Amino acid sequence: MTTAVLELRNVTKEFHGNAAIKHVDFTLHAGEIHSILGENGAGKSTLTKMAAGVYKPTRGEVYYQGKPVEFLSPQEALENGISMVFQETSLVPSLTVAQNLELGNEKPLNRLRGLYISAQQFLQSLNFEVDPTALVSQLGAAKKQMVEIARAVRHNAKVIIFDEPTATLTPEEKYHFFKLVTRLKNQGVSIIFISHALEEALQISDRITILRDGEHVITDDVAKFDRNMIISHMVGRTLSK
């Protein structure tokens, strides 16, 4: 039986009395890539933000490595091994790329030269062409996304949640990103992949969960899905041929 590293049990999240997520169960297995799909407003980001310490469930429970948890912030979740690469960047604009990579892992007497050399080598190992000395405020959207991804990997997270990570990437950058995700999986990292790109989800996933209007529709192995089936589950009706 596959071990569950992360579980959300019967979770509901309400904002001003309106439920964005309603009684959803979700399980992430150890070492799997699990895609969450759905239309805009389906609740994909809200669901995962409850695991990452951004939101506290209105009802329901979050379990991590078999134990109930209540992370009060993304930093607390990160310290326990759960990292979320947000669709909206969480980088500090006034700091350099290298300094952002080290946030949360700062060491006394960090020398800038050594910091930049280390960051350069790390970014190159990921095939990300980003200048470690550049201020984040000077980067475009794609480069910022690369730094977000690199920071999650840098912290040696056990669970990484990617929220629309390829939206701003070029085809070549996507190629390197998917190679990285496969490498992380082979290292035992468990990955949640939120995307609108159905072909990408079909290509990379072990399992797929589909949400619609804040509710769970289906979870199954990727081999059980094709593009039309995913769309029909997302919109709630059979597609006409």
Side-chain angles (χ1 to χ4, degrees), residues 133-167:
T133 68
L135 290 174
V136 163
S137 60
Q138 298 172 340
L139 300 180
K143 300 293 185 187
K144 287 179 181 177
Q145 189 74 322
M146 289 181 197
V147 179
E148 285 273 17
I149 294 166
R151 188 167 67 170
V153 178
R154 184 80 157 179
H155 280 80
N156 296 314
K158 297 180 180 68
V159 172
I160 301 180
I161 303 166
F162 291 112
D163 189 357
E164 298 286 351
T166 63

Side-chain angles (χ1 to χ4, degrees), residues 10 31 71 91 108 117 129 132 184 211 214 240:
N10 196 32
F71 298 130
L91 303 172
I117 292 172
E129 295 183 6
L184 290 169
L211 301 179
S240 57

Side-chain angles (χ1 to χ4, degrees), residues 49 52 54 74 84-90 145 148 151 161-164:
K49 284 178 177 178
V54 180
M84 185 166 186
V85 179
F86 295 94
Q87 191 174 4
E88 63 280 4
T89 181
S90 62
Q145 189 74 322
E148 285 273 17
R151 188 167 67 170
I161 303 166
F162 291 112
D163 189 357
E164 298 286 351

Side-chain angles (χ1 to χ4, degrees), residues 52-225:
V54 180
Y55 299 141
K56 181 179 178 181
T58 306
R59 289 180 291 279
E61 296 176 300
V62 178
Y63 281 73
Y64 178 53
Q65 297 182 322
K67 299 177 181 178
V69 293
E70 280 190 20
F71 298 130
L72 301 179
S73 68
Q75 182 60 37
E76 186 177 343
L78 181 60
E79 290 168 358
N80 283 274
I82 299 177
S83 178
M84 185 166 186
V85 179
F86 295 94
Q87 191 174 4
E88 63 280 4
T89 181
S90 62
L91 303 172
V92 180
S94 59
L95 297 181
T96 66
V97 169
Q99 289 169 324
N100 269 276
L101 289 179
E102 289 301 315
L103 279 177
N105 275 345
E106 297 92 341
K107 301 176 182 64
L109 300 175
N110 258 347
R111 297 184 183 278
L112 280 179
R113 177 174 169 77
L115 192 69
Y116 291 141
I117 292 172
S118 174
Q120 179 72 51
Q121 292 172 339
F122 179 67
L123 289 164
Q124 286 177 344
S125 76
L126 303 180
N127 289 299
F128 288 173
E129 295 183 6
V130 185
D131 179 1
T133 68
L135 290 174
V136 163
S137 60
Q138 298 172 340
L139 300 180
K143 300 293 185 187
K144 287 179 181 177
Q145 189 74 322
M146 289 181 197
V147 179
E148 285 273 17
I149 294 166
R151 188 167 67 170
V153 178
R154 184 80 157 179
H155 280 80
N156 296 314
K158 297 180 180 68
V159 172
I160 301 180
I161 303 166
F162 291 112
D163 189 357
E164 298 286 351
T166 63
T168 60
L169 303 183
T170 67
E172 182 180 358
E173 290 163 350
K174 288 180 185 180
Y175 170 78
H176 290 305
F177 169 74
F178 287 124
K179 285 192 69 174
L180 169 63
V181 167
T182 301
R183 191 161 79 240
L184 290 169
K185 175 190 171 180
N186 291 338
Q187 293 170 357
V189 179
S190 305
I191 293 167
I192 298 175
F193 180 65
I194 303 171
S195 180
H196 281 97
L198 306 187
E199 288 78 8
E200 292 178 2
L202 286 166
Q203 169 192 334
I204 200 170
S205 306
D206 295 303
R207 291 194 299 153
I208 290 175
T209 286
I210 297 175
L211 301 179
R212 184 172 67 245
D213 298 329
E215 298 181 351
H216 176 265
V217 176
I218 187 173
T219 296
D220 214 331
D221 294 338
V222 68
K224 304 287 183 67
F225 292 96

